[in-house]
Each structure stands twice: as C-alpha cells, then as structure tokens.
Amino acid sequence: MAAVSLSPVQASLSPRLLSSHTPQSTPNLSFHSLSKPSIPFPSISLKLYNPIRPCSLIIAAAVKNLAETDLVAVPLTADEFSKKLPSKSGVYAVYDKNDDLQFIGISRNIGASVFSHLKSVPDLCSFVKFGVVDEPDRESLTQAWKSWMEEHIKTTGKVPPGNQSGNATWIRQPPKKKPDLRLTPGRHVQLTVPLEELIGKLVKENRVVAFIKGSRSAPLCGFSQRVIGILESQGIDYESVDVLDEEYNYGLRETLKKYSNWPTFPQIFVNGELIGGCDILTSMDEKGELAGLLKK
Amino acid sequence: MGSRGANMLISRANRMKTKLQSALEATTIEIEDVSHQHAGHAAVKTNNVETHFNLKIVSPKFNGHTLLKRHRMVYDALADELQSGLHALSIVAKTPQEEEAASRR
C-alpha cells in the first residue's frame, strides 16, 4: 500500500517554463512523453510508506478510471494509428505484451505520443489505454494523470517502471541548448581590442551567428524568438549573442548597428556577412533559400 | 507654432510615408503602427509610442536589388526616425512587378 503526495511544483507553472523547451527542474517522476506535442514536467514527490489513506487522494478525474478503460492493442502502422487512437489531448497508459503497465503519460496528441513510443521501445508497447480530456488545460491533464497514477499505485503498490525516477526510456530529454556567446570578459574589464574587431572576429569565425535580444533559450523579443525558431527548425548549428547583455556585451547594440550599418535587431550573419533581420530570414525560409545558404 | 513643433504633431507614420515616398518613389506604402503589441518590451522602457511599425512598400527602385539592399534603402530613408525612437520595422519590400505577380496568384 502506498501513500502518495502529488503536487506539481509551482515554478513549473510560470509561463516561460511552459514553453516546451525549458523544463528546468529535475522531476522525480515524469509524465512527459516522447512526442513533440508534449507538456513539461510537474515535479512529484512519492513516498512509499505505510498506509493511512488520506482523503485528499481522491481527485475528481476528467476521465474514466484506469480499470474501467478498455485496453486497445497498439496498431503497427501510422495508418491504423489514426483510426484507433485519437490525435487529441489526454492521458494514456502503455502496457507490454504481458499486460504489465509500463508508463502513464499525458500528451497533446495521444496517437502521436504512443506512435513515437512504439518507434523507440517497440517491445514495451503492446497495448494502450487512453482517456481523452475534453478541456485540455494543463491542470485537467495533470489531474487525469494523477488519478491514473494513484489508482495504479493503490492497486499494485508500485509506480509504473517508466514513471520511476531516473528512467529515461519514455522521456525525451530536452536538447541541451548551447550557451549564448559573450563578446567581452565583463563590463569593467578594459578591452585591448576595439569591440568592432571582436564582432568581426566572431562573425567570421562562426558560420552562423544570430545577434538577438535575450538569450537563445529565452528570447525577449518576438522577432528574435522567430529567428531562433527558424534556425532551430532548420537544424542549423548557430551561435547566439544577446545584445541586451549589459555585463558581457556592453555597448554591443550601438557598435553592431554601425558595424553592419543595420539599425535593428535581430541580425543574422552567415560566413561573416549580414544576411538581414527577422523579415529577411523569414522570407528566405518561406522560399526555401535558407537550407542552401546555411549548409554551404 | 514653429515648424519643429508642427513636426512633432504629425504622426511618425505620416512622416515615414512622406520620406519613403520621396526617397523611393513608392507606388504603394502601407504603414501600420503596432507599438502597442510591444509595450513593456525589454528595450522599450520609456516612451513606448510609435516604436514598432509594419511597413509594406512597393517601389520600382527595388528592381534588381536583394532583400538586404531593399531593407537598407528603407532604413536609409528613415535614418532620422530610427535615430529618434523608431525601434523596429517589419518590412515587406517589393517591386511593382513582384506585387502584380503576387496579386494575380
């Protein structure tokens, strides 16, 4: 018998952390699924000690309970997937061929998530149960997940193996982002080389450099954000420099405007040459010109 | 009222329009003030009016020039505005031929 205390960590509710890239807290347990339309971690503390069942365990769920939900054989082709599993938000539980529950996850697209699990761990994905959550805000999804987790723990005394801490089988770790580059050792260190020269060196030594407002993991302006989005969606290896960093890039905004003769940010350089700002990058992306230019 | 005062009263969008018209002989200029979308933006701490604009401009002078060059031509025409608080400009710059081709599609 297990007593459970489940509570999402407050910090993970801040809007920045809700963006799919930056779950910064390390969760004990995770329900973050492999597929892209997923939701970042709540952090959960689970204590498997003795049994006075607290009333707070009973959480009204938006979905049927786990026992009442039908077990569906996992289809093997993408075609069948779309017929049998909804591409809707909700909670799902994956079972292996012995009907042992392996993982409980939530997703913005149940079908896609299960499909990606099938791709990565086919041996563990024989059957699936799912519950569609009609109003898929973060809280209802978390609640649905909690109710299934609790039900399973209550009946078996065990956490599904895929949800145990340290088990990364079902979870895609967010890709590590490169740090933003810094132009100077610090605002109060006297530069021996003019800033223009440092800019020149930086853009010539790195194939693609994006001068943005904010960091690459948390851009502070919509245009910078779009630029990062385009570069990442193209899988481009690029360096970023935060022009708002007053400590390590002091004076960069004014100097860069003169260097490139371009009055606004973001600015994207390829092989030492300015290719433009957000509009130009967007337009090149739409015309499919980017791949060629950036992969040269 | 002196001309300087009068100048302050004309909206930036109108000044931009006049400047672009004379510098680039534009056939179409559409300017939209989207500053409100950027209020509270990290770099717009004070005076966050007339800072962000969307511009669509069609000019025969863009013929044969890259997007980069076209944007530079726009920025050159608006140098004073950029000096005095114009912060960001989203630019669509086309030649009359490109505009016509786009509208036929």
mmCIF file with all atom_site columns, all heavy atoms in Angstrom, chain B residues 56-68:
data_model
loop_
_atom_site.group_PDB
_atom_site.id
_atom_site.type_symbol
_atom_site.label_atom_id
_atom_site.label_alt_id
_atom_site.label_comp_id
_atom_site.label_asym_id
_atom_site.label_entity_id
_atom_site.label_seq_id
_atom_site.pdbx_PDB_ins_code
_atom_site.Cartn_x
_atom_site.Cartn_y
_atom_site.Cartn_z
_atom_site.occupancy
_atom_site.B_iso_or_equiv
_atom_site.pdbx_formal_charge
_atom_site.auth_seq_id
_atom_site.auth_comp_id
_atom_site.auth_asym_id
_atom_site.auth_atom_id
_atom_site.pdbx_PDB_model_num
ATOM 1   N N   . LYS B 1 56 ? 4.602  47.986 -45.599 1.00 0.00 ? 56 LYS B N   1
ATOM 2   C CA  . LYS B 1 56 ? 4.635  47.327 -46.901 1.00 0.00 ? 56 LYS B CA  1
ATOM 3   C C   . LYS B 1 56 ? 4.918  48.407 -47.921 1.00 0.00 ? 56 LYS B C   1
ATOM 4   O O   . LYS B 1 56 ? 4.242  49.436 -47.939 1.00 0.00 ? 56 LYS B O   1
ATOM 5   C CB  . LYS B 1 56 ? 3.295  46.668 -47.202 1.00 0.00 ? 56 LYS B CB  1
ATOM 6   C CG  . LYS B 1 56 ? 3.314  46.010 -48.566 1.00 0.00 ? 56 LYS B CG  1
ATOM 7   C CD  . LYS B 1 56 ? 2.011  45.357 -48.909 1.00 0.00 ? 56 LYS B CD  1
ATOM 8   C CE  . LYS B 1 56 ? 2.076  44.917 -50.358 1.00 0.00 ? 56 LYS B CE  1
ATOM 9   N NZ  . LYS B 1 56 ? 0.801  44.330 -50.795 1.00 0.00 ? 56 LYS B NZ  1
ATOM 10  N N   . ILE B 1 57 ? 5.909  48.189 -48.732 1.00 0.00 ? 57 ILE B N   1
ATOM 11  C CA  . ILE B 1 57 ? 6.282  49.224 -49.694 1.00 0.00 ? 57 ILE B CA  1
ATOM 12  C C   . ILE B 1 57 ? 6.578  48.591 -51.050 1.00 0.00 ? 57 ILE B C   1
ATOM 13  O O   . ILE B 1 57 ? 7.248  47.569 -51.150 1.00 0.00 ? 57 ILE B O   1
ATOM 14  C CB  . ILE B 1 57 ? 7.482  50.065 -49.173 1.00 0.00 ? 57 ILE B CB  1
ATOM 15  C CG1 . ILE B 1 57 ? 7.936  51.079 -50.229 1.00 0.00 ? 57 ILE B CG1 1
ATOM 16  C CG2 . ILE B 1 57 ? 8.649  49.190 -48.729 1.00 0.00 ? 57 ILE B CG2 1
ATOM 17  C CD1 . ILE B 1 57 ? 8.824  52.170 -49.668 1.00 0.00 ? 57 ILE B CD1 1
ATOM 18  N N   . VAL B 1 58 ? 6.013  49.225 -52.075 1.00 0.00 ? 58 VAL B N   1
ATOM 19  C CA  . VAL B 1 58 ? 6.255  48.761 -53.439 1.00 0.00 ? 58 VAL B CA  1
ATOM 20  C C   . VAL B 1 58 ? 6.935  49.898 -54.184 1.00 0.00 ? 58 VAL B C   1
ATOM 21  O O   . VAL B 1 58 ? 6.415  51.015 -54.200 1.00 0.00 ? 58 VAL B O   1
ATOM 22  C CB  . VAL B 1 58 ? 4.925  48.386 -54.135 1.00 0.00 ? 58 VAL B CB  1
ATOM 23  C CG1 . VAL B 1 58 ? 5.193  47.920 -55.561 1.00 0.00 ? 58 VAL B CG1 1
ATOM 24  C CG2 . VAL B 1 58 ? 4.193  47.306 -53.348 1.00 0.00 ? 58 VAL B CG2 1
ATOM 25  N N   . SER B 1 59 ? 8.083  49.621 -54.737 1.00 0.00 ? 59 SER B N   1
ATOM 26  C CA  . SER B 1 59 ? 8.816  50.690 -55.420 1.00 0.00 ? 59 SER B CA  1
ATOM 27  C C   . SER B 1 59 ? 9.608  50.129 -56.590 1.00 0.00 ? 59 SER B C   1
ATOM 28  O O   . SER B 1 59 ? 10.253 49.090 -56.483 1.00 0.00 ? 59 SER B O   1
ATOM 29  C CB  . SER B 1 59 ? 9.774  51.365 -54.428 1.00 0.00 ? 59 SER B CB  1
ATOM 30  O OG  . SER B 1 59 ? 10.793 52.052 -55.138 1.00 0.00 ? 59 SER B OG  1
ATOM 31  N N   . PRO B 1 60 ? 9.576  50.839 -57.718 1.00 0.00 ? 60 PRO B N   1
ATOM 32  C CA  . PRO B 1 60 ? 10.372 50.382 -58.872 1.00 0.00 ? 60 PRO B CA  1
ATOM 33  C C   . PRO B 1 60 ? 11.877 50.448 -58.570 1.00 0.00 ? 60 PRO B C   1
ATOM 34  O O   . PRO B 1 60 ? 12.659 49.766 -59.207 1.00 0.00 ? 60 PRO B O   1
ATOM 35  C CB  . PRO B 1 60 ? 9.999  51.375 -59.975 1.00 0.00 ? 60 PRO B CB  1
ATOM 36  C CG  . PRO B 1 60 ? 9.399  52.556 -59.287 1.00 0.00 ? 60 PRO B CG  1
ATOM 37  C CD  . PRO B 1 60 ? 8.806  52.052 -58.007 1.00 0.00 ? 60 PRO B CD  1
ATOM 38  N N   . LYS B 1 61 ? 12.235 51.254 -57.573 1.00 0.00 ? 61 LYS B N   1
ATOM 39  C CA  . LYS B 1 61 ? 13.660 51.367 -57.239 1.00 0.00 ? 61 LYS B CA  1
ATOM 40  C C   . LYS B 1 61 ? 14.238 50.090 -56.628 1.00 0.00 ? 61 LYS B C   1
ATOM 41  O O   . LYS B 1 61 ? 15.439 49.970 -56.478 1.00 0.00 ? 61 LYS B O   1
ATOM 42  C CB  . LYS B 1 61 ? 13.877 52.543 -56.287 1.00 0.00 ? 61 LYS B CB  1
ATOM 43  C CG  . LYS B 1 61 ? 13.681 53.882 -56.952 1.00 0.00 ? 61 LYS B CG  1
ATOM 44  C CD  . LYS B 1 61 ? 14.390 54.963 -56.174 1.00 0.00 ? 61 LYS B CD  1
ATOM 45  C CE  . LYS B 1 61 ? 14.487 56.241 -57.018 1.00 0.00 ? 61 LYS B CE  1
ATOM 46  N NZ  . LYS B 1 61 ? 15.239 57.271 -56.309 1.00 0.00 ? 61 LYS B NZ  1
ATOM 47  N N   . PHE B 1 62 ? 13.373 49.179 -56.258 1.00 0.00 ? 62 PHE B N   1
ATOM 48  C CA  . PHE B 1 62 ? 13.866 47.921 -55.679 1.00 0.00 ? 62 PHE B CA  1
ATOM 49  C C   . PHE B 1 62 ? 14.338 46.946 -56.756 1.00 0.00 ? 62 PHE B C   1
ATOM 50  O O   . PHE B 1 62 ? 14.969 45.932 -56.457 1.00 0.00 ? 62 PHE B O   1
ATOM 51  C CB  . PHE B 1 62 ? 12.783 47.236 -54.846 1.00 0.00 ? 62 PHE B CB  1
ATOM 52  C CG  . PHE B 1 62 ? 12.435 47.978 -53.581 1.00 0.00 ? 62 PHE B CG  1
ATOM 53  C CD1 . PHE B 1 62 ? 11.137 47.985 -53.097 1.00 0.00 ? 62 PHE B CD1 1
ATOM 54  C CD2 . PHE B 1 62 ? 13.416 48.646 -52.866 1.00 0.00 ? 62 PHE B CD2 1
ATOM 55  C CE1 . PHE B 1 62 ? 10.820 48.653 -51.921 1.00 0.00 ? 62 PHE B CE1 1
ATOM 56  C CE2 . PHE B 1 62 ? 13.097 49.324 -51.696 1.00 0.00 ? 62 PHE B CE2 1
ATOM 57  C CZ  . PHE B 1 62 ? 11.798 49.331 -51.221 1.00 0.00 ? 62 PHE B CZ  1
ATOM 58  N N   . ASN B 1 63 ? 13.986 47.262 -57.988 1.00 0.00 ? 63 ASN B N   1
ATOM 59  C CA  . ASN B 1 63 ? 14.353 46.375 -59.089 1.00 0.00 ? 63 ASN B CA  1
ATOM 60  C C   . ASN B 1 63 ? 15.822 45.993 -59.084 1.00 0.00 ? 63 ASN B C   1
ATOM 61  O O   . ASN B 1 63 ? 16.686 46.853 -58.988 1.00 0.00 ? 63 ASN B O   1
ATOM 62  C CB  . ASN B 1 63 ? 14.064 47.086 -60.432 1.00 0.00 ? 63 ASN B CB  1
ATOM 63  C CG  . ASN B 1 63 ? 12.893 46.442 -61.116 1.00 0.00 ? 63 ASN B CG  1
ATOM 64  O OD1 . ASN B 1 63 ? 12.703 45.219 -61.001 1.00 0.00 ? 63 ASN B OD1 1
ATOM 65  N ND2 . ASN B 1 63 ? 12.081 47.243 -61.799 1.00 0.00 ? 63 ASN B ND2 1
ATOM 66  N N   . GLY B 1 64 ? 16.071 44.703 -59.167 1.00 0.00 ? 64 GLY B N   1
ATOM 67  C CA  . GLY B 1 64 ? 17.455 44.247 -59.252 1.00 0.00 ? 64 GLY B CA  1
ATOM 68  C C   . GLY B 1 64 ? 18.221 44.280 -57.944 1.00 0.00 ? 64 GLY B C   1
ATOM 69  O O   . GLY B 1 64 ? 19.412 44.022 -57.925 1.00 0.00 ? 64 GLY B O   1
ATOM 70  N N   . HIS B 1 65 ? 17.526 44.601 -56.844 1.00 0.00 ? 65 HIS B N   1
ATOM 71  C CA  . HIS B 1 65 ? 18.221 44.615 -55.561 1.00 0.00 ? 65 HIS B CA  1
ATOM 72  C C   . HIS B 1 65 ? 17.776 43.465 -54.666 1.00 0.00 ? 65 HIS B C   1
ATOM 73  O O   . HIS B 1 65 ? 16.616 43.063 -54.689 1.00 0.00 ? 65 HIS B O   1
ATOM 74  C CB  . HIS B 1 65 ? 17.969 45.937 -54.833 1.00 0.00 ? 65 HIS B CB  1
ATOM 75  C CG  . HIS B 1 65 ? 18.622 47.104 -55.493 1.00 0.00 ? 65 HIS B CG  1
ATOM 76  N ND1 . HIS B 1 65 ? 19.971 47.164 -55.728 1.00 0.00 ? 65 HIS B ND1 1
ATOM 77  C CD2 . HIS B 1 65 ? 18.096 48.264 -55.981 1.00 0.00 ? 65 HIS B CD2 1
ATOM 78  C CE1 . HIS B 1 65 ? 20.254 48.312 -56.332 1.00 0.00 ? 65 HIS B CE1 1
ATOM 79  N NE2 . HIS B 1 65 ? 19.132 48.995 -56.506 1.00 0.00 ? 65 HIS B NE2 1
ATOM 80  N N   . THR B 1 66 ? 18.713 42.956 -53.894 1.00 0.00 ? 66 THR B N   1
ATOM 81  C CA  . THR B 1 66 ? 18.390 41.895 -52.937 1.00 0.00 ? 66 THR B CA  1
ATOM 82  C C   . THR B 1 66 ? 17.505 42.460 -51.823 1.00 0.00 ? 66 THR B C   1
ATOM 83  O O   . THR B 1 66 ? 17.420 43.678 -51.649 1.00 0.00 ? 66 THR B O   1
ATOM 84  C CB  . THR B 1 66 ? 19.655 41.341 -52.271 1.00 0.00 ? 66 THR B CB  1
ATOM 85  O OG1 . THR B 1 66 ? 20.266 42.416 -51.544 1.00 0.00 ? 66 THR B OG1 1
ATOM 86  C CG2 . THR B 1 66 ? 20.629 40.783 -53.287 1.00 0.00 ? 66 THR B CG2 1
ATOM 87  N N   . LEU B 1 67 ? 16.896 41.550 -51.084 1.00 0.00 ? 67 LEU B N   1
ATOM 88  C CA  . LEU B 1 67 ? 16.095 41.977 -49.942 1.00 0.00 ? 67 LEU B CA  1
ATOM 89  C C   . LEU B 1 67 ? 16.929 42.813 -48.980 1.00 0.00 ? 67 LEU B C   1
ATOM 90  O O   . LEU B 1 67 ? 16.469 43.815 -48.442 1.00 0.00 ? 67 LEU B O   1
ATOM 91  C CB  . LEU B 1 67 ? 15.563 40.759 -49.185 1.00 0.00 ? 67 LEU B CB  1
ATOM 92  C CG  . LEU B 1 67 ? 14.247 40.161 -49.654 1.00 0.00 ? 67 LEU B CG  1
ATOM 93  C CD1 . LEU B 1 67 ? 13.845 39.027 -48.715 1.00 0.00 ? 67 LEU B CD1 1
ATOM 94  C CD2 . LEU B 1 67 ? 13.161 41.222 -49.673 1.00 0.00 ? 67 LEU B CD2 1
ATOM 95  N N   . LEU B 1 68 ? 18.168 42.348 -48.759 1.00 0.00 ? 68 LEU B N   1
ATOM 96  C CA  . LEU B 1 68 ? 19.041 43.061 -47.831 1.00 0.00 ? 68 LEU B CA  1
ATOM 97  C C   . LEU B 1 68 ? 19.203 44.524 -48.277 1.00 0.00 ? 68 LEU B C   1
ATOM 98  O O   . LEU B 1 68 ? 19.044 45.452 -47.496 1.00 0.00 ? 68 LEU B O   1
ATOM 99  C CB  . LEU B 1 68 ? 20.415 42.377 -47.776 1.00 0.00 ? 68 LEU B CB  1
ATOM 100 C CG  . LEU B 1 68 ? 21.362 42.919 -46.720 1.00 0.00 ? 68 LEU B CG  1
ATOM 101 C CD1 . LEU B 1 68 ? 21.008 42.362 -45.354 1.00 0.00 ? 68 LEU B CD1 1
ATOM 102 C CD2 . LEU B 1 68 ? 22.801 42.579 -47.061 1.00 0.00 ? 68 LEU B CD2 1
#
